[in-house]
Amino acid sequence: MKSRNAAAADKCGFNAYRLRTFGPDLDYDDFFQNYTASAFDPKAWVDLFADAGAQYFVFTTKHHDGFANFDTGSATNRSSLHYGPKRDILGELFEAAATYQPQLRRGTYFSIPEWFNPDWGKYGFTQFDRVTSTSHPGIIARNPYTGLEEPYTGRLPIGDFIEDLMVPQMEALAYNYNTDIMWCDAGAANDTARFAARWFNWARSQGRQVTINDRCGSPWAADFDTPEYATFSTVQRRKWESNQGMDPYSYGYNRATAETEYMNASTLVHNLVDMVSKNGNFLLDIGPRSDGTIVQREVDNLREAGTWIKAHGEAVFNTTYWSITPEEDNLRFTQTNDAFYILSLEEPEIGGLVIRSKLPIVKGDRITAVGMEGEKEVQWDFASNGHVVIKVTEEIVTGGKFCWVFKIEYQRWT
């Protein structure tokens, strides 16, 4: 009979499933053999990213388990070049992006610590009087059923984890793979400050723009913040990027997730618009299967969202927030130097769309409805109380989906 503590620790039933399916003697690293990437098609991946309307992508090069999807050189053999598919997955993906979708900026997710690598030990739990949210074990994991130590496959002798493994791996991503975005995770002990100084200066000498997120452990080097599954009700002056999964339960592939539970195109568009209106970006996670394929429902939803994004990119990309207010009920606002955009997250009623917020508009300005098939000028006026009223026709409603966009074109005075 399970103890109350054991049951509480396995609320999702994972441990029970693993024991029932694989038995007690299977170690974590035994799953390496299941990672085949046998159907991995890097061109299909980058084409999908482009079809979805993405401007950049971030690939998981190494998570907390220390298994890398790139050439780690002499730092470790715990990688996809030595185990599993025995391929340079990152190299193939970046090469496909450069060849077939060169407009996409390329990013690399990289876990700063390796939770169960004993070489991380002196930077792990042992450096703290108590366990904290930024401390990680740094001890060999034990099989939860047998209590025996599990292997840390591919580990090579090194002196110091940060100097001999962490930084060399970050440098490989920066200089060998030419990442544009160093997207770290877990913070913790690091030498990011010196790495970033060298990388930023090198990139500038190459005429490149590169960026680092806020999880590399160095606040001064961080260009943007990264809340998970979160957004804000107000504009954030500092750039931010929310990361969420299409699967509501997991960043990885979860075969227990029903197809209907994946984020649909409408929600994807709404999240994107809401975040952009508040000075944010949207990083959407897709968890592929071990053979390199992506769930078809995710593919379909991404491409469907992409039809809207491509038709309305001018209201999303290279815009900034409206300093007066980012939202009014189901309306969101963005702007450029040439235009102001009103984005309705719900289908507007035929008749009149009333906007109470102060807008940068004067008599004589032109408003167009930006639909799926192009733009159409609409009639508008000021109400007696100063609110802007846009005339909405059936043609405007049926000509849009997910989010309806109206553009105020600024007049050029000479």
Side-chain angles (χ1 to χ4, degrees), residues 170-232:
M170 294 175 75
E171 289 177 338
L173 297 175
Y175 305 117
N176 299 347
Y177 291 90
N178 288 311
T179 187
D180 297 310
I181 307 164
M182 187 65 71
W183 210 106
C184 300
D185 200 6
N190 64 86
D191 194 18
T192 297
R194 286 197 294 178
F195 161 79
R198 293 191 297 267
W199 188 40
F200 287 164
N201 287 329
W202 174 83
R204 183 175 183 179
S205 73
Q206 302 295 309
R208 293 182 56 205
Q209 285 191 333
V210 296
T211 187
I212 288 180
N213 73 342
D214 64 337
R215 302 190 192 188
C216 290
S218 177
W220 77 264
D223 294 315
F224 59 98
D225 299 328
T226 54
E228 289 190 8
Y229 285 90
T231 185
F232 298 98

Side-chain angles (χ1 to χ4, degrees), residues 236 238-242 272 274-282:
Q236 303 299 297
R238 179 174 165 83
K239 284 297 296 183
W240 60 281
E241 172 200 71
S242 178
L272 173 66
D274 180 67
M275 293 168 192
V276 168
S277 73
K278 294 160 186 172
N279 202 32
N281 281 17
F282 188 19

Side-chain angles (χ1 to χ4, degrees), residues 245-250 254-264 267 295 297-298 301:
M246 288 195 76
D247 184 325
Y249 309 112
S250 173
N254 180 2
R255 62 182 175 185
T257 300
E259 285 198 352
T260 55
E261 295 182 285
Y262 289 108
M263 185 182 296
N264 60 35
T267 301
V295 176
R297 179 60 66 89
E298 290 184 288
N301 292 356

Side-chain angles (χ1 to χ4, degrees), residues 256-369:
T257 300
E259 285 198 352
T260 55
E261 295 182 285
Y262 289 108
M263 185 182 296
N264 60 35
S266 177
T267 301
L268 194 162
V269 168
H270 286 189
N271 286 344
L272 173 66
V273 167
D274 180 67
M275 293 168 192
V276 168
S277 73
K278 294 160 186 172
N279 202 32
N281 281 17
F282 188 19
L283 186 63
L284 182 64
D285 177 85
I286 309 163
R289 300 182 182 92
S290 60
D291 65 357
T293 58
I294 297 172
V295 176
Q296 190 59 44
R297 179 60 66 89
E298 290 184 288
V299 172
D300 294 342
N301 292 356
L302 284 166
R303 287 206 163 101
E304 186 178 4
T307 62
W308 185 94
I309 293 170
K310 290 186 176 183
H312 302 86
E314 64 177 279
V316 175
F317 303 120
N318 299 313
T319 64
T320 189
Y321 56 89
W322 177 230
S323 59
I324 303 301
T325 180
E327 64 179 52
E328 175 190 314
D329 301 326
N330 285 308
L331 300 179
R332 301 294 183 269
F333 307 110
T334 62
Q335 62 175 331
T336 67
N337 289 334
D338 301 311
F340 184 90
Y341 297 92
I342 304 158
L343 302 99
S344 177
L345 301 181
E346 67 177 12
E347 181 180 300
E349 294 184 4
I350 295 174
L353 175 64
V354 179
I355 303 152
R356 303 185 306 275
S357 301
K358 296 292 185 182
L359 301 181
I361 189 171
V362 296
K363 280 283 190 180
D365 281 350
R366 180 172 178 260
I367 297 182
T368 58

